[in-house]
Amino acid sequence: MGRYNFKFGDVWLSEFGGVCTEEPPIEIAQRDITLIDIPGKDGSACIDNGRYNNVEFTRTIALVGKRISSAKEKTIQLINSFAYLQGYQPFEDTDHEGMVTEAVLLNLEEVIKNLRTMYTATLKFSRKPYWTLKSSLEEMPLDNTEVSGNGVEIYNPYPTTACPIIRFHLKTDPHSTLATVKIKMSISSNYGGVYSTKDYSNFGINFLYTHNILDFDIENQRVVVHSPSGEIYKYADAPVPKPIGPGATKIQAEINKDIDYISIIPKWRCL
């Protein structure tokens, strides 16, 4: 059991001298399905709402130390850390090596009370359905020659759709404060069990010399113009591509005078 460890926010539990006192079960997201009873018919109608539900789970922890004063000090450190972890936070554990998800702590007040009195507590979490491959959160530049020719092929290793960010790095002129970029791209992918090609274009997206990154954010269903530091200039009115299906996907785009290069943050994910 000593091998299990988890990270909520920025710090692993073990860094506070904490241990999990119970072996976590296997926790997999359930499909969001509505069952409707139909009078006069056996069984129920099954409506698939096309999504997965969050996973609610618990972790029972204890803080240990050579002396009571040591455990008390670690308890205060952990409570102070939890105090800043409101809302969704990155969550990792040793059962899903190389993966990360997002979770929210649901019972902070109860945890604080129990930790201060008994140096042990049961943490109640709710996490998003998918685990994401950590290495796929890194930005991958696409070859300009390939992407503007026959297209760049990328491969989704998991049997589920992914919602990447397709990023256009725009050329800037320090003598001009405002410019307009023309975007035209196509994505060939397996979506909904059908392999097809979809075209996406917009011929009038404005950007600034200081804000020259254009993101097609499939997960959040938005197109954003922002600076290299992440400061948002505007939300653009442009079509957002569909999620990328499992297996091979081909991305093609026109590279014009306003586009430096294109990259992708794949965000491959699995249950």
Side-chain angles (χ1 to χ4, degrees):
M1 182 55 224
R3 292 178 299 174
Y4 181 81
N5 194 11
F6 70 84
K7 180 181 182 182
F8 180 56
D10 297 326
V11 184
W12 288 91
L13 176 66
S14 58
E15 294 182 41
F16 292 99
V19 296
C20 281
T21 61
E22 298 177 355
E23 186 74 34
I26 297 174
E27 297 149 347
I28 298 178
Q30 300 296 308
R31 192 76 171 177
D32 181 10
I33 293 175
T34 302
L35 296 178
I36 300 177
D37 292 331
I38 301 176
K41 291 189 177 182
D42 293 330
S44 302
C46 179
I47 299 177
D48 187 342
N49 296 310
R51 61 186 293 273
Y52 286 91
N53 292 315
N54 265 25
V55 177
E56 294 195 1
F57 65 97
T58 62
R59 293 292 182 267
T60 301
I61 66 170
L63 299 181
V64 296
K66 294 181 179 179
R67 302 181 307 277
I68 292 298
S69 59
S70 175
K72 182 181 294 186
E73 180 182 348
K74 293 173 181 177
T75 298
I76 293 173
Q77 292 173 353
L78 185 59
I79 289 174
N80 287 340
S81 176
F82 281 166
Y84 293 98
L85 301 179
Q86 305 299 307
Y88 279 111
Q89 303 292 330
F91 185 93
E92 303 176 42
D93 66 17
T94 47
D95 280 354
H96 299 83
E97 187 175 357
M99 310 292 287
V100 64
T101 185
E102 291 185 347
V104 58
L105 180 61
L106 302 175
N107 63 333
L108 177 61
E109 292 186 4
E110 179 185 349
V111 168
I112 291 175
K113 177 182 177 181
N114 290 337
L115 282 178
R116 290 179 63 88
T117 56
M118 298 179 291
Y119 306 123
T120 184
T122 297
L123 283 64
K124 298 178 182 178
F125 292 100
S126 177
R127 71 165 174 85
K128 293 186 178 181
Y130 290 101
W131 291 88
T132 303
L133 186 65
K134 289 174 67 175
S135 61
S136 72
L137 297 177
E138 300 175 0
E139 185 176 350
M140 298 169 42
L142 304 180
D143 184 275
N144 275 8
T145 301
E146 291 184 12
V147 77
S148 61
N150 293 325
V152 170
E153 188 171 273
I154 58 176
Y155 189 81
N156 178 359
Y158 296 112
T160 187
T161 56
C163 295
I165 292 174
I166 300 174
R167 177 167 291 175
F168 288 75
H169 294 257
L170 308 176
K171 294 179 181 179
T172 58
D173 180 356
H175 303 292
S176 175
T177 58
L178 184 67
T180 301
V181 64
K182 298 179 179 180
I183 299 294
K184 185 175 183 180
M185 65 175 169
S186 67
I187 300 177
S188 302
S189 181
N190 179 7
Y191 181 76
V194 178
Y195 192 86
S196 61
T197 299
K198 298 289 184 180
D199 296 322
Y200 304 93
S201 61
N202 185 293
F203 295 99
I205 299 178
N206 296 328
F207 67 97
L208 300 175
Y209 164 64
T210 54
H211 295 68
N212 63 326
I213 295 179
L214 174 63
D215 280 353
F216 285 78
D217 186 341
I218 298 177
E219 181 173 8
N220 293 306
Q221 286 293 291
R222 64 187 188 183
V223 181
V224 185
V225 180
H226 62 87
S227 69
S229 66
E231 181 184 53
I232 294 176
Y233 164 58
K234 65 178 294 185
Y235 296 95
D237 182 15
V240 182
K242 291 182 177 180
I244 288 177
T249 288
K250 186 170 68 174
I251 299 176
Q252 290 178 289
E254 291 185 1
I255 304 293
N256 56 51
K257 64 180 180 64
D258 296 312
I259 298 173
D260 191 6
Y261 67 95
I262 303 171
S263 63
I264 186 171
I265 303 173
K267 300 198 290 187
W268 307 132
R269 62 186 188 176
C270 65
L271 293 176

